[in-house]
Amino acid sequence: MASGKPVIATDIPGLHEVVSGAGLLFEHENYHQLADHISKLLDDTAMYEELSNKGLERIRLYGVEQMANKYTEIYHSLT
């Protein structure tokens, strides 16, 4: 996402929360669905661009500064 490329990821906890709505998800071990997603991105330049832009927006939530602030909040709440 940070490189401005669309993301395709396995639909598992953790990845689901980060990628959902900003990339494509496929069922665990479903290589046919993965292949379909790859084909769609290769054939549909509008989708490619849309997911690239959504990914860049999403990654801002997971920048180093944002994550450090969230960890600091958690540490302060525990003390």
Side-chain angles (χ1 to χ4, degrees):
M1 285 183 173
S3 66
K5 302 295 180 193
V7 171
I8 303 172
T10 306
D11 193 2
I12 59 172
L15 287 176
H16 178 90
E17 289 77 15
V18 174
V19 176
S20 184
L24 298 174
L25 295 165
F26 65 96
E27 295 173 8
H28 180 65
E29 297 184 356
N30 186 337
Y31 59 89
H32 292 293
Q33 193 176 29
L34 171 60
D36 288 342
H37 286 333
I38 293 170
S39 292
K40 285 180 189 174
L41 285 176
L42 291 173
D43 294 338
D44 189 341
T45 56
M47 176 188 273
Y48 185 99
E49 290 299 319
E50 177 184 357
L51 291 177
S52 296
N53 291 330
K54 285 183 177 182
L56 286 171
E57 291 173 21
R58 176 67 53 86
I59 202 64
R60 291 182 189 150
L61 300 174
Y62 298 96
V64 173
E65 187 173 331
Q66 290 81 0
M67 296 307 294
N69 289 336
K70 288 179 183 181
Y71 281 122
T72 301
E73 289 175 19
I74 292 170
Y75 294 144
H76 285 293
S77 72
L78 297 173
T79 56

